[in-house]
Amino acid sequence: MPVFQDTQQVMLGYSEFLSHLGKCKFSDCQHINEPQCAIKNAVDKNIIQPARYQSYLENIQEVKNS
Ligand SMILES: [Zn+2]
């Protein structure tokens, strides 16, 4: 299974991220360190809680390392 599928599954656990998806510059954005990422913009504006984004990053790294 491609990594993309797994990261999408992680994303589904973060319902407050979902309304921002599709607004990133890259359609395959994983919201880690891509430029012009809608998720990171929302974190910067405190629309998404930084702790939730941190938790997301940790889950993504686990998926990528497995
Ligand atoms: Zn993104």
Tab-separated table of all heavy atoms in Angstrom:
chain	number	residue	atom	x	y	z
A	1	MET	N	0.855	-1.198	0.000
A	1	MET	CA	0.000	0.000	0.000
A	1	MET	C	0.891	1.248	0.000
A	1	MET	O	1.819	1.333	0.802
A	1	MET	CB	-0.899	-0.023	1.245
A	1	MET	CG	-1.905	1.115	1.279
A	1	MET	SD	-2.920	1.055	2.783
A	1	MET	CE	-4.071	-0.243	2.345
A	2	PRO	N	0.629	2.216	-0.875
A	2	PRO	CA	1.473	3.420	-0.901
A	2	PRO	C	1.359	4.208	0.398
A	2	PRO	O	0.320	4.173	1.058
A	2	PRO	CB	0.914	4.243	-2.071
A	2	PRO	CG	-0.115	3.421	-2.712
A	2	PRO	CD	-0.415	2.248	-1.867
A	3	VAL	N	2.436	4.926	0.728
A	3	VAL	CA	2.443	5.743	1.944
A	3	VAL	C	1.274	6.716	1.951
A	3	VAL	O	0.665	6.971	2.968
A	3	VAL	CB	3.787	6.496	2.056
A	3	VAL	CG1	3.729	7.561	3.148
A	3	VAL	CG2	4.911	5.518	2.334
A	4	PHE	N	0.960	7.237	0.780
A	4	PHE	CA	-0.116	8.230	0.672
A	4	PHE	C	-1.424	7.720	1.270
A	4	PHE	O	-2.109	8.416	1.998
A	4	PHE	CB	-0.312	8.609	-0.796
A	4	PHE	CG	-1.356	9.658	-1.014
A	4	PHE	CD1	-1.198	10.934	-0.516
A	4	PHE	CD2	-2.504	9.348	-1.714
A	4	PHE	CE1	-2.167	11.906	-0.711
A	4	PHE	CE2	-3.486	10.311	-1.919
A	4	PHE	CZ	-3.309	11.587	-1.413
A	5	GLN	N	-1.746	6.472	1.005
A	5	GLN	CA	-2.971	5.886	1.554
A	5	GLN	C	-2.926	5.902	3.081
A	5	GLN	O	-3.916	6.208	3.732
A	5	GLN	CB	-3.117	4.445	1.058
A	5	GLN	CG	-3.427	4.342	-0.422
A	5	GLN	CD	-4.837	4.809	-0.754
A	5	GLN	OE1	-5.745	4.715	0.059
A	5	GLN	NE2	-5.022	5.319	-1.947
A	6	ASP	N	-1.782	5.562	3.651
A	6	ASP	CA	-1.664	5.510	5.099
A	6	ASP	C	-1.791	6.892	5.725
A	6	ASP	O	-2.450	7.056	6.734
A	6	ASP	CB	-0.318	4.890	5.494
A	6	ASP	CG	-0.262	3.418	5.102
A	6	ASP	OD1	-1.333	2.806	5.006
A	6	ASP	OD2	0.838	2.908	4.887
A	7	THR	N	-1.143	7.874	5.099
A	7	THR	CA	-1.218	9.218	5.664
A	7	THR	C	-2.641	9.761	5.561
A	7	THR	O	-3.088	10.484	6.428
A	7	THR	CB	-0.225	10.183	4.985
A	7	THR	OG1	-0.472	10.209	3.592
A	7	THR	CG2	1.212	9.752	5.226
A	8	GLN	N	-3.353	9.390	4.512
A	8	GLN	CA	-4.756	9.796	4.399
A	8	GLN	C	-5.564	9.212	5.554
A	8	GLN	O	-6.452	9.862	6.093
A	8	GLN	CB	-5.348	9.337	3.063
A	8	GLN	CG	-4.888	10.148	1.880
A	8	GLN	CD	-5.340	11.596	1.951
A	8	GLN	OE1	-4.586	12.448	2.389
A	8	GLN	NE2	-6.545	11.874	1.555
A	9	GLN	N	-5.237	7.988	5.940
A	9	GLN	CA	-5.960	7.365	7.047
A	9	GLN	C	-5.677	8.088	8.355
A	9	GLN	O	-6.571	8.276	9.180
A	9	GLN	CB	-5.590	5.879	7.142
A	9	GLN	CG	-6.272	5.061	6.060
A	9	GLN	CD	-5.826	3.615	6.041
A	9	GLN	OE1	-4.927	3.217	6.772
A	9	GLN	NE2	-6.445	2.833	5.195
A	10	VAL	N	-4.419	8.502	8.553
A	10	VAL	CA	-4.083	9.292	9.740
A	10	VAL	C	-4.912	10.570	9.760
A	10	VAL	O	-5.498	10.942	10.775
A	10	VAL	CB	-2.579	9.630	9.770
A	10	VAL	CG1	-2.272	10.633	10.881
A	10	VAL	CG2	-1.740	8.362	9.951
A	11	MET	N	-5.004	11.212	8.604
A	11	MET	CA	-5.729	12.464	8.474
A	11	MET	C	-7.186	12.344	8.922
A	11	MET	O	-7.740	13.262	9.525
A	11	MET	CB	-5.658	12.913	7.012
A	11	MET	CG	-6.393	14.189	6.713
A	11	MET	SD	-5.646	15.604	7.520
A	11	MET	CE	-4.010	15.522	6.812
A	12	LEU	N	-7.779	11.204	8.650
A	12	LEU	CA	-9.190	11.008	8.991
A	12	LEU	C	-9.417	11.069	10.501
A	12	LEU	O	-10.527	11.330	10.955
A	12	LEU	CB	-9.691	9.667	8.433
A	12	LEU	CG	-9.747	9.584	6.915
A	12	LEU	CD1	-10.199	8.186	6.480
A	12	LEU	CD2	-10.688	10.626	6.344
A	13	GLY	N	-8.355	10.851	11.278
A	13	GLY	CA	-8.474	10.941	12.727
A	13	GLY	C	-8.484	12.369	13.240
A	13	GLY	O	-8.695	12.602	14.426
A	14	TYR	N	-8.251	13.328	12.343
A	14	TYR	CA	-8.179	14.734	12.749
A	14	TYR	C	-9.264	15.509	12.013
A	14	TYR	O	-9.020	16.139	10.987
A	14	TYR	CB	-6.780	15.299	12.449
A	14	TYR	CG	-5.721	14.619	13.291
A	14	TYR	CD1	-5.156	13.422	12.889
A	14	TYR	CD2	-5.333	15.179	14.503
A	14	TYR	CE1	-4.221	12.775	13.689
A	14	TYR	CE2	-4.400	14.551	15.305
A	14	TYR	CZ	-3.848	13.350	14.891
A	14	TYR	OH	-2.937	12.712	15.675
A	15	SER	N	-10.467	15.430	12.545
A	15	SER	CA	-11.627	15.954	11.826
A	15	SER	C	-11.507	17.451	11.570
A	15	SER	O	-12.050	17.949	10.582
A	15	SER	CB	-12.905	15.644	12.598
A	15	SER	OG	-12.820	16.159	13.909
A	16	GLU	N	-10.814	18.189	12.455
A	16	GLU	CA	-10.720	19.629	12.248
A	16	GLU	C	-9.770	19.988	11.101
A	16	GLU	O	-9.733	21.126	10.659
A	16	GLU	CB	-10.322	20.362	13.540
A	16	GLU	CG	-8.874	20.164	13.951
A	16	GLU	CD	-8.695	18.994	14.903
A	16	GLU	OE1	-9.188	17.893	14.604
A	16	GLU	OE2	-8.047	19.195	15.943
A	17	PHE	N	-9.009	18.999	10.613
A	17	PHE	CA	-8.134	19.249	9.468
A	17	PHE	C	-8.920	19.191	8.150
A	17	PHE	O	-8.517	19.791	7.163
A	17	PHE	CB	-7.036	18.193	9.374
A	17	PHE	CG	-5.946	18.293	10.424
A	17	PHE	CD1	-6.127	19.021	11.582
A	17	PHE	CD2	-4.752	17.633	10.219
A	17	PHE	CE1	-5.118	19.096	12.550
A	17	PHE	CE2	-3.736	17.707	11.172
A	17	PHE	CZ	-3.910	18.428	12.335
A	18	LEU	N	-10.018	18.463	8.181
A	18	LEU	CA	-10.641	18.063	6.921
A	18	LEU	C	-11.126	19.251	6.096
A	18	LEU	O	-11.040	19.243	4.876
A	18	LEU	CB	-11.812	17.103	7.191
A	18	LEU	CG	-11.405	15.778	7.851
A	18	LEU	CD1	-12.639	14.907	8.074
A	18	LEU	CD2	-10.371	15.031	7.024
A	19	SER	N	-11.622	20.307	6.761
A	19	SER	CA	-12.150	21.452	6.016
A	19	SER	C	-11.037	22.229	5.311
A	19	SER	O	-11.310	23.054	4.450
A	19	SER	CB	-12.944	22.374	6.941
A	19	SER	OG	-12.116	22.889	7.956
A	20	HIS	N	-9.774	21.957	5.691
A	20	HIS	CA	-8.651	22.673	5.073
A	20	HIS	C	-8.039	21.881	3.922
A	20	HIS	O	-7.241	22.415	3.158
A	20	HIS	CB	-7.574	22.959	6.113
A	20	HIS	CG	-8.086	23.742	7.279
A	20	HIS	ND1	-8.346	25.093	7.211
A	20	HIS	CD2	-8.435	23.352	8.520
A	20	HIS	CE1	-8.811	25.499	8.388
A	20	HIS	NE2	-8.872	24.468	9.186
A	21	LEU	N	-8.399	20.621	3.819
A	21	LEU	CA	-7.800	19.789	2.774
A	21	LEU	C	-8.265	20.278	1.410
A	21	LEU	O	-9.360	20.793	1.254
A	21	LEU	CB	-8.202	18.321	2.960
A	21	LEU	CG	-7.746	17.714	4.279
A	21	LEU	CD1	-8.190	16.260	4.341
A	21	LEU	CD2	-6.244	17.821	4.461
A	22	GLY	N	-7.409	20.112	0.428
A	22	GLY	CA	-7.748	20.550	-0.914
A	22	GLY	C	-7.361	21.997	-1.171
A	22	GLY	O	-7.457	22.473	-2.294
A	23	LYS	N	-6.919	22.701	-0.103
A	23	LYS	CA	-6.490	24.089	-0.267
A	23	LYS	C	-4.974	24.217	-0.303
A	23	LYS	O	-4.442	25.308	-0.461
A	23	LYS	CB	-7.058	24.951	0.869
A	23	LYS	CG	-8.579	24.994	0.873
A	23	LYS	CD	-9.078	25.789	2.071
A	23	LYS	CE	-10.600	25.733	2.153
A	23	LYS	NZ	-11.098	26.301	3.428
A	24	CYS	N	-4.283	23.095	-0.096
A	24	CYS	CA	-2.819	23.116	-0.149
A	24	CYS	C	-2.361	23.311	-1.591
A	24	CYS	O	-3.082	22.969	-2.527
A	24	CYS	CB	-2.252	21.807	0.395
A	24	CYS	SG	-2.673	21.505	2.121
A	25	LYS	N	-1.131	23.824	-1.734
A	25	LYS	CA	-0.584	24.041	-3.065
A	25	LYS	C	-0.463	22.732	-3.834
A	25	LYS	O	-0.760	22.671	-5.020
A	25	LYS	CB	0.783	24.724	-2.953
A	25	LYS	CG	1.461	24.983	-4.286
A	25	LYS	CD	2.737	25.777	-4.085
A	25	LYS	CE	3.533	25.919	-5.360
A	25	LYS	NZ	2.836	26.682	-6.399
A	26	PHE	N	-0.053	21.683	-3.122
A	26	PHE	CA	0.155	20.389	-3.776
A	26	PHE	C	-0.968	19.433	-3.392
A	26	PHE	O	-1.298	19.297	-2.213
A	26	PHE	CB	1.506	19.792	-3.359
A	26	PHE	CG	2.671	20.676	-3.720
A	26	PHE	CD1	3.334	21.392	-2.741
A	26	PHE	CD2	3.070	20.803	-5.040
A	26	PHE	CE1	4.408	22.220	-3.068
A	26	PHE	CE2	4.130	21.629	-5.376
A	26	PHE	CZ	4.797	22.340	-4.392
A	27	SER	N	-1.552	18.779	-4.390
A	27	SER	CA	-2.684	17.892	-4.120
A	27	SER	C	-2.272	16.667	-3.307
A	27	SER	O	-3.106	16.051	-2.657
A	27	SER	CB	-3.342	17.457	-5.425
A	27	SER	OG	-2.424	16.752	-6.228
A	28	ASP	N	-0.973	16.334	-3.347
A	28	ASP	CA	-0.514	15.189	-2.549
A	28	ASP	C	0.210	15.647	-1.278
A	28	ASP	O	1.010	14.908	-0.715
A	28	ASP	CB	0.385	14.284	-3.383
A	28	ASP	CG	1.655	14.994	-3.835
A	28	ASP	OD1	1.703	16.236	-3.737
A	28	ASP	OD2	2.589	14.303	-4.277
A	29	CYS	N	-0.092	16.869	-0.850
A	29	CYS	CA	0.547	17.444	0.331
A	29	CYS	C	0.315	16.556	1.546
A	29	CYS	O	-0.805	16.101	1.787
A	29	CYS	CB	-0.051	18.833	0.587
A	29	CYS	SG	0.717	19.726	1.938
A	30	GLN	N	1.389	16.317	2.300
A	30	GLN	CA	1.254	15.537	3.542
A	30	GLN	C	1.302	16.454	4.765
A	30	GLN	O	1.293	15.972	5.889
A	30	GLN	CB	2.340	14.463	3.597
A	30	GLN	CG	2.131	13.420	2.496
A	30	GLN	CD	3.162	12.301	2.524
A	30	GLN	OE1	4.195	12.408	3.169
A	30	GLN	NE2	2.876	11.236	1.821
A	31	HIS	N	1.398	17.766	4.529
A	31	HIS	CA	1.292	18.772	5.598
A	31	HIS	C	2.428	18.650	6.610
A	31	HIS	O	2.207	18.806	7.811
A	31	HIS	CB	-0.082	18.689	6.290
A	31	HIS	CG	-1.178	18.268	5.360
A	31	HIS	ND1	-1.536	19.034	4.271
A	31	HIS	CD2	-1.949	17.154	5.315
A	31	HIS	CE1	-2.513	18.390	3.622
A	31	HIS	NE2	-2.762	17.257	4.227
A	32	ILE	N	3.607	18.333	6.118
A	32	ILE	CA	4.759	18.184	7.012
A	32	ILE	C	5.652	19.410	6.854
A	32	ILE	O	5.782	20.201	7.778
A	32	ILE	CB	5.510	16.873	6.721
A	32	ILE	CG1	4.580	15.684	6.981
A	32	ILE	CG2	6.755	16.785	7.617
A	32	ILE	CD1	5.132	14.362	6.511
A	33	ASN	N	6.253	19.588	5.692
A	33	ASN	CA	7.051	20.808	5.482
A	33	ASN	C	6.942	21.319	4.050
A	33	ASN	O	7.836	21.995	3.559
A	33	ASN	CB	8.508	20.584	5.900
A	33	ASN	CG	9.076	19.324	5.297
A	33	ASN	OD1	8.646	18.887	4.228
A	33	ASN	ND2	10.046	18.711	5.956
A	34	GLU	N	5.809	21.019	3.413
A	34	GLU	CA	5.580	21.530	2.069
A	34	GLU	C	5.266	23.028	2.123
A	34	GLU	O	4.654	23.487	3.088
A	34	GLU	CB	4.389	20.795	1.420
A	34	GLU	CG	4.636	19.329	1.160
A	34	GLU	CD	4.251	18.434	2.337
A	34	GLU	OE1	4.121	18.936	3.464
A	34	GLU	OE2	4.089	17.229	2.098
A	35	PRO	N	5.665	23.785	1.096
A	35	PRO	CA	5.303	25.214	1.073
A	35	PRO	C	3.820	25.401	0.769
A	35	PRO	O	3.193	24.549	0.141
A	35	PRO	CB	6.168	25.774	-0.068
A	35	PRO	CG	6.456	24.604	-0.949
A	35	PRO	CD	6.470	23.386	-0.052
A	36	GLN	N	3.286	26.517	1.264
A	36	GLN	CA	1.891	26.895	1.003
A	36	GLN	C	0.918	25.775	1.365
A	36	GLN	O	0.025	25.406	0.595
A	36	GLN	CB	1.698	27.329	-0.456
A	36	GLN	CG	2.532	28.554	-0.797
A	36	GLN	CD	2.353	28.982	-2.234
A	36	GLN	OE1	1.243	29.017	-2.740
A	36	GLN	NE2	3.451	29.336	-2.884
A	37	CYS	N	1.115	25.252	2.575
A	37	CYS	CA	0.241	24.184	3.083
A	37	CYS	C	-0.896	24.803	3.891
A	37	CYS	O	-0.661	25.574	4.820
A	37	CYS	CB	1.066	23.238	3.955
A	37	CYS	SG	0.068	22.067	4.866
A	38	ALA	N	-2.127	24.466	3.532
A	38	ALA	CA	-3.300	25.042	4.202
A	38	ALA	C	-3.382	24.604	5.663
A	38	ALA	O	-3.856	25.359	6.517
A	38	ALA	CB	-4.573	24.632	3.467
A	39	ILE	N	-2.941	23.405	5.941
A	39	ILE	CA	-2.972	22.922	7.329
A	39	ILE	C	-1.994	23.729	8.185
A	39	ILE	O	-2.338	24.197	9.273
A	39	ILE	CB	-2.609	21.421	7.386
A	39	ILE	CG1	-3.646	20.581	6.621
A	39	ILE	CG2	-2.479	20.957	8.841
A	39	ILE	CD1	-5.016	20.546	7.241
A	40	LYS	N	-0.778	23.916	7.679
A	40	LYS	CA	0.202	24.678	8.454
A	40	LYS	C	-0.232	26.128	8.612
A	40	LYS	O	-0.021	26.729	9.669
A	40	LYS	CB	1.594	24.591	7.799
A	40	LYS	CG	2.215	23.210	7.973
A	40	LYS	CD	3.709	23.233	7.694
A	40	LYS	CE	3.971	23.660	6.264
A	40	LYS	NZ	5.411	23.791	5.997
A	41	ASN	N	-0.861	26.690	7.578
A	41	ASN	CA	-1.399	28.051	7.692
A	41	ASN	C	-2.441	28.124	8.803
A	41	ASN	O	-2.471	29.081	9.573
A	41	ASN	CB	-2.042	28.482	6.370
A	41	ASN	CG	-1.005	28.937	5.359
A	41	ASN	OD1	0.137	29.208	5.720
A	41	ASN	ND2	-1.404	28.997	4.107
A	42	ALA	N	-3.295	27.122	8.890
A	42	ALA	CA	-4.340	27.096	9.920
A	42	ALA	C	-3.723	26.973	11.310
A	42	ALA	O	-4.228	27.558	12.271
A	42	ALA	CB	-5.308	25.948	9.647
A	43	VAL	N	-2.629	26.219	11.413
A	43	VAL	CA	-1.930	26.112	12.699
A	43	VAL	C	-1.338	27.469	13.066
A	43	VAL	O	-1.456	27.923	14.214
A	43	VAL	CB	-0.834	25.027	12.643
A	43	VAL	CG1	-0.010	25.021	13.937
A	43	VAL	CG2	-1.449	23.651	12.408
A	44	ASP	N	-0.733	28.133	12.092
A	44	ASP	CA	-0.131	29.452	12.341
A	44	ASP	C	-1.166	30.456	12.840
A	44	ASP	O	-0.864	31.336	13.641
A	44	ASP	CB	0.514	29.998	11.059
A	44	ASP	CG	1.837	29.313	10.746
A	44	ASP	OD1	2.392	28.662	11.655
A	44	ASP	OD2	2.305	29.433	9.603
A	45	LYS	N	-2.397	30.333	12.352
A	45	LYS	CA	-3.463	31.262	12.733
A	45	LYS	C	-4.263	30.762	13.929
A	45	LYS	O	-5.296	31.321	14.276
A	45	LYS	CB	-4.415	31.472	11.541
A	45	LYS	CG	-3.743	32.208	10.387
A	45	LYS	CD	-4.657	32.252	9.166
A	45	LYS	CE	-3.962	32.950	8.001
A	45	LYS	NZ	-4.704	32.762	6.738
A	46	ASN	N	-3.797	29.670	14.548
A	46	ASN	CA	-4.477	29.071	15.696
A	46	ASN	C	-5.889	28.593	15.377
A	46	ASN	O	-6.730	28.495	16.268
A	46	ASN	CB	-4.499	30.029	16.897
A	46	ASN	CG	-3.258	29.848	17.759
A	46	ASN	OD1	-2.854	28.723	18.041
A	46	ASN	ND2	-2.648	30.940	18.157
A	47	ILE	N	-6.151	28.317	14.111
A	47	ILE	CA	-7.430	27.708	13.732
A	47	ILE	C	-7.370	26.222	14.087
A	47	ILE	O	-8.337	25.630	14.548
A	47	ILE	CB	-7.709	27.923	12.234
A	47	ILE	CG1	-7.845	29.420	11.939
A	47	ILE	CG2	-8.964	27.156	11.793
A	47	ILE	CD1	-7.834	29.772	10.457
A	48	ILE	N	-6.206	25.635	13.856
A	48	ILE	CA	-5.924	24.281	14.319
A	48	ILE	C	-4.965	24.399	15.500
A	48	ILE	O	-3.981	25.136	15.440
A	48	ILE	CB	-5.284	23.429	13.199
A	48	ILE	CG1	-6.317	23.150	12.101
A	48	ILE	CG2	-4.739	22.115	13.765
A	48	ILE	CD1	-5.728	22.438	10.887
A	49	GLN	N	-5.261	23.693	16.594
A	49	GLN	CA	-4.400	23.750	17.772
A	49	GLN	C	-3.036	23.140	17.464
A	49	GLN	O	-2.969	22.022	16.946
A	49	GLN	CB	-5.042	22.990	18.934
A	49	GLN	CG	-6.272	23.671	19.481
A	49	GLN	CD	-6.817	22.952	20.708
A	49	GLN	OE1	-6.180	22.054	21.249
A	49	GLN	NE2	-7.993	23.364	21.131
A	50	PRO	N	-1.964	23.857	17.801
A	50	PRO	CA	-0.617	23.334	17.533
A	50	PRO	C	-0.384	21.949	18.135
A	50	PRO	O	0.302	21.120	17.529
A	50	PRO	CB	0.296	24.382	18.190
A	50	PRO	CG	-0.495	25.646	18.139
A	50	PRO	CD	-1.932	25.228	18.321
A	51	ALA	N	-0.963	21.685	19.291
A	51	ALA	CA	-0.764	20.369	19.920
A	51	ALA	C	-1.377	19.256	19.062
A	51	ALA	O	-0.846	18.143	19.008
A	51	ALA	CB	-1.385	20.353	21.315
A	52	ARG	N	-2.489	19.575	18.408
A	52	ARG	CA	-3.128	18.588	17.534
A	52	ARG	C	-2.264	18.348	16.300
A	52	ARG	O	-2.114	17.207	15.836
A	52	ARG	CB	-4.512	19.084	17.104
A	52	ARG	CG	-5.526	19.030	18.214
A	52	ARG	CD	-6.022	17.625	18.443
A	52	ARG	NE	-6.968	17.206	17.400
A	52	ARG	CZ	-7.396	15.955	17.227
A	52	ARG	NH1	-6.980	15.007	18.017
A	52	ARG	NH2	-8.235	15.663	16.260
A	53	TYR	N	-1.707	19.417	15.766
A	53	TYR	CA	-0.837	19.276	14.603
A	53	TYR	C	0.413	18.482	14.977
A	53	TYR	O	0.854	17.613	14.218
A	53	TYR	CB	-0.447	20.669	14.087
A	53	TYR	CG	0.478	20.635	12.888
A	53	TYR	CD1	0.052	20.076	11.692
A	53	TYR	CD2	1.764	21.143	12.974
A	53	TYR	CE1	0.902	20.026	10.601
A	53	TYR	CE2	2.619	21.114	11.886
A	53	TYR	CZ	2.187	20.548	10.700
A	53	TYR	OH	3.028	20.508	9.628
A	54	GLN	N	0.960	18.744	16.168
A	54	GLN	CA	2.125	17.997	16.635
A	54	GLN	C	1.803	16.504	16.737
A	54	GLN	O	2.598	15.653	16.339
A	54	GLN	CB	2.546	18.553	18.003
A	54	GLN	CG	3.981	18.212	18.378
A	54	GLN	CD	4.974	18.768	17.369
A	54	GLN	OE1	4.831	19.900	16.917
A	54	GLN	NE2	5.946	17.964	16.996
A	55	SER	N	0.633	16.219	17.265
A	55	SER	CA	0.184	14.834	17.382
A	55	SER	C	0.052	14.184	16.003
A	55	SER	O	0.454	13.034	15.791
A	55	SER	CB	-1.162	14.808	18.120
A	55	SER	OG	-1.839	13.604	17.905
A	56	TYR	N	-0.489	14.946	15.057
A	56	TYR	CA	-0.599	14.468	13.675
A	56	TYR	C	0.775	14.128	13.104
A	56	TYR	O	0.979	13.071	12.522
A	56	TYR	CB	-1.286	15.544	12.825
A	56	TYR	CG	-1.133	15.347	11.339
A	56	TYR	CD1	-1.917	14.412	10.662
A	56	TYR	CD2	-0.198	16.079	10.611
A	56	TYR	CE1	-1.752	14.216	9.300
A	56	TYR	CE2	-0.035	15.895	9.253
A	56	TYR	CZ	-0.814	14.958	8.605
A	56	TYR	OH	-0.635	14.762	7.261
A	57	LEU	N	1.738	15.042	13.305
A	57	LEU	CA	3.090	14.811	12.780
A	57	LEU	C	3.690	13.532	13.350
A	57	LEU	O	4.327	12.757	12.635
A	57	LEU	CB	4.000	15.999	13.121
A	57	LEU	CG	3.757	17.301	12.372
A	57	LEU	CD1	4.770	18.348	12.811
A	57	LEU	CD2	3.838	17.085	10.876
A	58	GLU	N	3.460	13.306	14.640
A	58	GLU	CA	4.007	12.101	15.269
A	58	GLU	C	3.383	10.854	14.658
A	58	GLU	O	4.071	9.860	14.409
A	58	GLU	CB	3.763	12.148	16.782
A	58	GLU	CG	4.681	13.152	17.467
A	58	GLU	CD	4.274	13.427	18.909
A	58	GLU	OE1	3.418	12.686	19.446
A	58	GLU	OE2	4.813	14.386	19.487
A	59	ASN	N	2.077	10.900	14.419
A	59	ASN	CA	1.407	9.756	13.801
A	59	ASN	C	1.895	9.526	12.378
A	59	ASN	O	2.077	8.373	11.955
A	59	ASN	CB	-0.106	9.965	13.813
A	59	ASN	CG	-0.703	9.600	15.144
A	59	ASN	OD1	-0.502	8.509	15.650
A	59	ASN	ND2	-1.428	10.526	15.734
A	60	ILE	N	2.102	10.613	11.645
A	60	ILE	CA	2.602	10.495	10.272
A	60	ILE	C	3.984	9.862	10.265
A	60	ILE	O	4.275	8.982	9.448
A	60	ILE	CB	2.645	11.897	9.600
A	60	ILE	CG1	1.244	12.378	9.260
A	60	ILE	CG2	3.524	11.879	8.351
A	60	ILE	CD1	0.567	11.585	8.156
A	61	GLN	N	4.836	10.291	11.191
A	61	GLN	CA	6.184	9.726	11.228
A	61	GLN	C	6.122	8.241	11.538
A	61	GLN	O	6.897	7.451	10.989
A	61	GLN	CB	7.032	10.454	12.285
A	61	GLN	CG	7.372	11.893	11.901
A	61	GLN	CD	8.061	12.013	10.542
A	61	GLN	OE1	8.744	11.103	10.099
A	61	GLN	NE2	7.853	13.127	9.879
A	62	GLU	N	5.201	7.839	12.407
A	62	GLU	CA	5.050	6.418	12.731
A	62	GLU	C	4.641	5.636	11.491
A	62	GLU	O	5.156	4.554	11.227
A	62	GLU	CB	4.004	6.220	13.829
A	62	GLU	CG	4.632	6.022	15.178
A	62	GLU	CD	3.591	5.880	16.279
A	62	GLU	OE1	2.612	5.141	16.076
A	62	GLU	OE2	3.758	6.529	17.311
A	63	VAL	N	3.695	6.188	10.728
A	63	VAL	CA	3.250	5.525	9.499
A	63	VAL	C	4.405	5.395	8.521
A	63	VAL	O	4.611	4.343	7.913
A	63	VAL	CB	2.077	6.308	8.867
A	63	VAL	CG1	1.817	5.834	7.433
A	63	VAL	CG2	0.828	6.162	9.701
A	64	LYS	N	5.178	6.468	8.382
A	64	LYS	CA	6.283	6.467	7.423
A	64	LYS	C	7.395	5.510	7.836
A	64	LYS	O	8.082	4.944	6.992
A	64	LYS	CB	6.868	7.883	7.299
A	64	LYS	CG	5.995	8.819	6.490
A	64	LYS	CD	6.552	10.233	6.580
A	64	LYS	CE	6.003	11.121	5.475
A	64	LYS	NZ	6.470	10.734	4.149
A	65	ASN	N	7.572	5.344	9.149
A	65	ASN	CA	8.655	4.490	9.635
A	65	ASN	C	8.256	3.029	9.685
A	65	ASN	O	9.106	2.163	9.877
A	65	ASN	CB	9.095	4.943	11.029
A	65	ASN	CG	9.797	6.295	10.966
A	65	ASN	OD1	10.322	6.662	9.939
A	65	ASN	ND2	9.795	7.013	12.067
A	66	SER	N	6.966	2.728	9.546
A	66	SER	CA	6.529	1.340	9.676
A	66	SER	C	6.685	0.603	8.360
A	66	SER	O	6.841	1.206	7.311
A	66	SER	CB	5.084	1.276	10.160
A	66	SER	OG	4.240	1.889	9.191
B	1	ZN	ZN	-0.859	20.578	3.345
